[in-house]
Amino acid sequence: MLLRHTTAAVAERSALTVNPAKTCQPIGAMYAALGLNGCLPHSHGSQGCCAYHRSTLTRHYKEPVMAGTSSFTEGASVFGGQANLVQAINNMFTIYEPEVIAVHTTCLSETIGDDLPQIISKARDDGKIPARKFVIHANTPSYVGTHVTGYANMAKAMVDYFAEKNGVRSRAVNIVPGFVEPSDMAEIRRIAGEMGITPILFPDTSNVLNGPLTGKFAMYPEGGVTVSELTRSGSSKATVALGRLAAGPAARAMDVKCKVPCHILDLPVGLKKTDEFVDVLRQLAGVQVPDSLEVERGQLLDVISDMHQYLHGVKVGIVGDPDQLIALTDFLVSVDMIPVHIVTGTPGKKFEKRIREIVKDVPHRVNVSAGGDMFLFHQWVKNEPVDLMIGNTYLKYIARDEDIPLLRYGFPILDRVGHSYFPTVGYRGGIRLLEKILDALLDRKDRDSPESGFELVM
Amino acid sequence: MSQIEVLKDRKSQIHLKGSEPFEMTCDRHSLSGSVSQRACVFCGSRVVLYPIADALHLVHGPIGCAAYTWDIRGALSSGPELHRMSFSTDLQETDVIYGGEKRLYAALTQLIDQYQPKAAFIYATCIVGIIGDDVAAVCSRVSREKGIPVLPVHSEGFKGTKKDGYRAACDAMFKLVGREDTADVSPFSINILGEFNIGGEAWIIRKYYEKMGVQVVSVMTGDGRVGEIGRSHGAALNVVQCSGAMTSLAEMMQKEYGIPFIRVSYFGLEDTAKALYDVARRFPDNPEILTRTMDLVKNEIRAIEPDLKEYRKDLEGKRAAIYVGGAFKAFSLIRALKTLGMEVVLAGSQTGTDEDYRILEQMCDEGTVILDDANPVELSKYVIEKDADLFIGGVKERPIAYKLGVGFCDHNHERKIPLAGFIGMYNFAKEVHSTVTSPVWKFAHRRRRV
């Protein structure tokens, strides 16, 4: 019982986080930057930040993750990090030859007050940035927001630095996916393709963090949105953001900067939320939903109907990031399951309101916390056990101690594979989620059923 | 790949044996912009203190530092597991403006009341150093109020390299030494330093010493306990593993308590045997210890030798690349790989000293590349050029090796099986054999063209 110290009585904790359900902004910014073609993310802070982010992303994706660091010293912390960053920019363009360097700040560089735009323009004036190469930045102090907002900030930086309007509206549609897997990004692109839309998708980590074994080490894998696509994105006819928190700010920035109208949607997880996404694409493309997608939708519906008696009334506890939880809660409610405990580590008042709205007809009390942690979640589970938990790998401690099946979903997943390759968005993603939910529930039923009730056919 | 150049300023940290006189720069701060595999001061402190299982480990800073170090090291405990929880003061913007001391005090007292730890370590992160929280003052106040040692660890990330973090951890730990009674400590006794019980390694080593008739007063820090550290000053000898991590504690104990120390390695047959003999010879008043040690070494080696011979048949002549944290580990690895008939074509470390690299240079064959604080481009360049069959490294190197179609063995936090001691050599051979001979590499492009 690793978590044997966890008590059922929930005490007020104002200054303490135990077993976090979040991490800091910079890692989100680093992940988003990897979705830019030929980009080398750069951590403007101590060496450890960069090492930790790279290690965590490597554990989650099982891929090499490249990023530079300003390697702050005591001197830099007193006199400012300008010299370090200018030298870093010079070194990186000289030896690693990226197209873009995407700098994000850390708690250290933010607190000492480094002015990134000023440092970047100094680097340009000093001739450290070669022609047709770029340095962009996002402010991501670790004491504000979480990894989700860090992702949002870097996605927005892509708009701030690159999007241009040339006066002519193209037929292209921008799609900004939230903090989702490379597989999800590829699936979002595929769905748009089925609707006859070739999107400008950014960030796009597919073919970056789920690449093949080639026998070569590629500093810059093939995937990612290109600078020229981002430049053109300012002339697109619309932007669709998937995930209000992680993708919304980039879409709104595009609207403000280039007057590209934006549609800010939830992540397309499950039947209803995918319907909403497909419907917006349909209107933008001015087409009927193609048969191919109708079939996929019908298949998802078919699986739900085939197995609905096993889903009915199942109590679920979920931990994750706000965009994922909103869409997932909606999906669980729509298949007659009962989300009982919902915890995100990312603070925000709107989150609880949205969740309350989604669960208003659920015939059960629902605990919701924005800015909670795994310890609180565990206490809730002790007070009211659930049949299934959905969340990242850190839930495995609770799953083991309380003997509850766990479906790994979200970030990070440190102990299983699959998330890089098989999406959970779209209709097909919905089928995969259901498959995983049912596997977990029915394996448990098979294990726990008395011999007399042990069934061959389910 | 072969035309990839290395950063000009990095050239002095790379040496090709046989091509030039030995002259290497090391122990310097990483070049800005280098995609280094190194971490920070906090990381160094955290990995050293982390295995002390009945202490509270509270990270004072924004959430990231605590989140990334939550249970990442497989340092096993035979009892309490408080060290596997993640506690953070989770500093917010207002704390950065107004200071985090109140928050630290509140978190600390609440945690001590709830978990009743034997001691508490408070890790100062970058931001704490900048906003100027007086962590030491809060610690001594709480220590007075709660009656347990509450120790600040000065591990601000920017204040040096990982090695400085080791030192900060040793400084904190040294305050625990000397607090307990040493009445039952035998004159034939040691402390094991720099052994973190990854995969249960400390248990293996402890058992060897017990069989030899040597009392182990404390292991620092594998399966560590505050009470054991408290009476560690009663031991007759400090046996220090690993080049950098805990030498400074041994030095402090030598100065304060007159305890001599020796440096050892428990990796590979030769080094393990040497370590045990070195310790046994320190107790000439009890010659039985040496006799028992000889028996132990003979029996242990005899037990695994036939298996090692089998593995060696397949591994003879295969080429290995090594990139590890401390250079001392690289020495052991080179000897162990030679035991398996393998050739080392690249050897590097994150934190080696000049002396370390001189030793490394002597141990290696002509043509071996020696690297200090390398980056992925350099590593992959030399792995391909030298046509390595095996890469030994840590978490960030694993996927690079696999992308190149090269086998991999984790010799860092993520190893799951004990690699220390005689049985550890067997485990190592088995793991190296399984990855080097894996059929998957036959499908990798690089191998196809061979």
Side-chain angles (χ1 to χ4, degrees), chain A residues 26 49 105-112 140-143, chain B residues 62 65 126-127:
Chain A
C49 305
T105 57
T106 58
C107 47
L108 177 56
S109 55
E110 284 286 340
T111 308
I112 63 174
T140 53
S142 323
Y143 46 77
Chain B
C65 303
C126 288
I127 193 92

Side-chain angles (χ1 to χ4, degrees), chain A residues 4-5 12 17 19 22-23 46-47 52 54 59 63 67 69-70 74 77 91 95-96 111 213 215 397, chain B residues 5 7 30 32-33 35-37 43 68 71 79 86 88 90 110 115 126-127 158-159 375 402-403 414:
Chain A
R4 56 187 170 269
H5 304 289
E12 181 63 30
T17 296
N19 297 348
K22 63 172 177 181
T23 184
S46 293
Q47 219 166 14
Y52 283 136
R54 289 176 59 210
R59 289 181 174 118
E63 290 288 309
T69 165
S70 294
E74 205 147 12
S77 308
N91 282 334
I95 186 69
Y96 302 121
T111 308
L213 192 162
Y397 301 114
Chain B
E5 287 180 33
L7 284 169
S30 297
S32 290
V35 181
S36 164
Q37 310 291 77
C43 179
Y68 303 120
D71 204 21
S86 175
S88 170
D90 195 358
Q110 191 169 7
Y115 293 105
C126 288
I127 193 92
F158 57 86
K159 284 192 173 166
N375 63 53
Y402 290 163
K403 278 280 185 266
E414 290 189 5

Side-chain angles (χ1 to χ4, degrees), chain A residues 166-200:
Chain A
N166 60 8
V168 185
R169 281 270 165 260
S170 75
R171 289 172 51 79
V173 173
N174 306 322
I175 301 181
V176 186
F179 195 144
V180 293
E181 301 292 341
S183 54
D184 293 321
M185 296 188 183
E187 180 67 358
I188 288 164
R189 180 187 293 282
R190 188 190 68 86
I191 291 170
E194 294 288 322
M195 304 290 296
I197 292 171
T198 307
I200 297 175

